[in-house]
Amino acid sequence: MTRSPVNCCGPTRRTLLAAMGFAALLPALDVGRAAAQPNPLLTTDLEVVTITDTSVVLTWTTLTPDAAGNPVPALADTEVLLADGRVFTQAHYDATPTPYHFVEVNGLEPGRTYRFEARSRGIRATPALNLITGAPGTPESCGEFTTLTPPPGRLLHTIALANDVHFGEEVSGVIINGLPPGFRQDMPPYPQAMLSALLSDLPTRGVEKLLLAGDLTAEAAPDQVRGVRAALDGWGHEYLVTRGNHDRPHVGEDYRGCPSIDDHHDCWGESFLPRQQLTENRLGELRIIGLDTSELDGSGGSIDRPQLAHLSELLRADPDRPTLVFGHHPVTTESGLTNTGGPAFVLNGPDGAALQAMYTSAPGVFLQHSGHTHRNRRTRPDAACAVEFLEVAAVKEYPGGYSLLRLYEGGYMVNFYKMSAEQARRWSATTRGEYLGLYPEYTLGTCADRNHTVERDLSGLA
């Protein structure tokens, strides 16, 4: 397995501080109001979110001081200039006023470096005071990116990878006891709005199947389970789900009437899948295996012996078949050491080791998709298996999106997308302030985490 490098940016031409312009205005960001004042205008939060072989997606926010000097969203136009030489040309312009700018430019050439400028009212957008976008060498800080080179061969399938909807949740960003301060949405409930935006986006991108890797609900209450199931069934396209820790069986009067496991009531399982049961599906010649990694109590992950035995049986029977695995909890030691919840937050060590040991004898397994950490990140396997372990950021909050997995005869391409709907852009801009403004450092992921290609023989899928 070889990973194609992502040359997101050439030598930096600006220092980090210069890239941070107007940073002093940011801490008091209030996205509940939009102002139409003329300059002074701050164009900030620039992110080169998606880089494919033929397209790029950029987002940014426009702000202006209110009467008290606090920055509030400001309505402005949207413009992007591109250059693959010395001369910039206008690649996109929209006069529709908005504070939440989303631009997708198509028709680019694979493996080519482009310089860019994102503007509103003629003012160039700059990254926020975050190292993930503002550090030297990022596309945002140096103003250039290089499109990916796709794997060899024909495009065979396009699959969407998503997770962490938290249907029914009312406050985003709280860890425990009301801290750190969370965010409430002053519009239709944000999990519903973000899920609707996701389901609206996917058909426009040629998605054949949606995989949802857990935490479909906030706490698996009956109304939450019914609500998310109705939204998915009403979508009219194919989807597969696995259970997350928030979807686990719960204890309490509110859950009575659902099937019971000891004193735990499994409302999620009644509408979707029984607890600790894997699923096997096919998309053409591709095998898709979904794992239930949830525990009866707590946020950590485990896989019961019968489910591990079932997985082992499937892989031994057809070890070379191209196989995609998805489950809620990340698997690797690196993930355990780098997420904010620590090693106890991911799949437990023995089960993670057993899973990876199976993969060493099943060369057809090429990728495992996880959620739970609400971030975009690739981590290294602990065993000698040629498997990519990919965590995808949450649907429900910043950055608010999903990854597309495009399968070719000679490998695959991964690209993360934010949802494009106006409400989704607004909520993403709001919740980037989670964790006292540090949330982008943890969740957005590097350019290469979000966008990369892997060369691998997948010709069997044809």
Side-chain angles (χ1 to χ4, degrees), residues 350-375:
D351 290 350
L355 202 61
Q356 294 179 72
M358 291 182 198
Y359 295 164
T360 63
S361 302
V365 180
F366 62 90
L367 186 143
Q368 177 149 354
H369 157 221
S370 302
H372 196 45
T373 57
H374 296 200
R375 64 180 181 175

Side-chain angles (χ1 to χ4, degrees), residues 146-302:
T146 299
T147 51
L148 298 179
T149 299
R154 293 177 295 145
L155 174 64
L156 302 174
H157 297 294
T158 301
I159 299 171
L161 310 177
N163 41 262
D164 294 279
V165 176
H166 290 224
F167 198 96
E169 185 178 274
E170 296 180 353
V171 182
S172 185
V174 174
I175 299 177
I176 189 171
N177 295 330
L179 295 173
F183 293 85
R184 291 182 180 270
Q185 192 173 16
D186 58 348
M187 60 178 70
Y190 62 84
Q192 287 91 318
M194 297 300 276
L195 177 59
S196 177
L198 168 71
L199 300 180
S200 295
D201 260 19
L202 298 185
T204 68
R205 301 202 180 278
V207 169
E208 298 167 77
K209 197 179 291 286
L210 165 63
L211 309 186
L212 285 161
D215 280 5
L216 276 67
T217 65
E219 294 298 337
D223 59 331
Q224 296 172 6
V225 174
R226 289 192 297 267
V228 75
R229 180 65 193 255
L232 292 171
D233 288 348
W235 180 44
H237 299 272
E238 293 189 31
Y239 69 91
L240 300 172
V241 303
T242 58
R243 187 196 302 256
N245 57 294
H246 282 263
D247 306 316
R248 70 190 185 279
H250 281 62
V251 177
E253 292 294 331
D254 292 342
Y255 298 89
R256 294 198 181 278
C258 299
S260 296
I261 303 171
D262 297 328
D263 59 344
H264 297 73
H265 303 281
D266 190 10
C267 302
W268 195 94
E270 184 178 38
S271 289
F272 290 104
L273 298 164
R275 183 176 176 272
Q276 283 289 323
Q277 184 176 112
L278 68 74
T279 61
E280 181 189 22
N281 291 272
R282 298 290 174 93
L283 178 58
E285 296 301 314
L286 174 69
R287 176 170 55 186
I288 303 173
I289 295 177
L291 300 177
D292 181 349
T293 58
S294 67
E295 299 179 338
L296 270 181
D297 296 292
S299 59
S302 63

